[in-house]
């Protein structure tokens, strides 16, 4: 696999692993999404000084308001975060 | 780094490496974008039977029509491809 294919595979595997827990297997429940963010993006969450940040992020993640995070919603979050990180790094 | 952080880092590094060639260092020229797609997504391009597919993909990538692919435009493509791959895998 190329580098980019590897990154895409990680994105899919991370979601599928987290979604495999409770409820529907093709979406993240609120608890699963919270667990995923805490496990996979600890640095980002630690950098935030607002303890409600995870809840806010989760609310923003669930675009269609069904309290489940679909794969597309998850990918949009990761894409947005990657752009934010890249912008910050590029400015340094 | 966690798995997700690794994937985000790969996305950034792949773009930066490809963009470092000719012209602007913070965007891909048409030639750089073509090279990047051929190097990083060979399986996808081989699966396509249309020899003009790379050109079409590139045209679609350059949303603001300036013939340069910005980081955001690149991330949107990768996100869309990842969703397409995930949908196809999930249906199997």
């Amino acid at each position: 696999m190329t580098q980019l294919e590897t990154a895409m595979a990680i994105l899919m595997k991370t979601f599928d692993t987290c979604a495999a827990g409770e409820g529907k297997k093709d979406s993240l429940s609120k608890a699963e999404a919270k667990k995923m963010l805490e496990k996979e993006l600890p640095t980002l969450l630690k950098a935030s000084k607002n303890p409600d940040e995870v809840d806010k992020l989760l609310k923003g993640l669930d675009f269609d308001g069904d309290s489940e995070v679909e794969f597309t919603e998850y990918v949009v979050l990761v894409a947005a975060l990657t752009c934010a990180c890249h912008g910050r790094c590029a400015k340094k």
Side-chain angles (χ1 to χ4, degrees), chain A:
Chain A
M1 274 207 283
T2 68
Q3 290 277 295
L4 200 54
E5 286 168 350
T6 305
M8 289 167 68
I10 293 175
L11 285 177
M12 292 188 257
K13 205 188 154 194
T14 302
F15 180 88
D16 290 340
T17 306
C18 295
E22 58 177 31
K24 289 196 244 170
K25 305 296 173 206
D26 59 349
S27 62
L28 301 172
S29 68
K30 204 179 165 184
E32 284 171 342
K34 197 166 182 169
K35 213 169 149 188
M36 189 271 287
L37 288 174
E38 285 167 353
K39 188 183 162 225
E40 293 294 335
L41 300 171
T43 318
L44 184 90
L45 296 181
K46 257 179 231 158
S48 153
K49 279 171 186 150
N50 185 342
D52 299 329
E53 206 60 30
V54 183
D55 283 322
K56 271 171 118 186
L57 205 57
L58 283 178
K59 219 172 170 179
L61 250 184
D62 177 28
F63 300 127
D64 58 3
D66 66 353
S67 292
E68 292 275 328
V69 179
E70 323 288 333
F71 186 73
T72 315
E73 294 167 335
Y74 152 84
V75 165
V76 168
L77 171 82
V78 177
L81 289 174
T82 308
C83 287
C85 286
H86 190 256
R88 186 169 292 188
C89 296
K91 271 179 207 152
K92 271 182 192 166

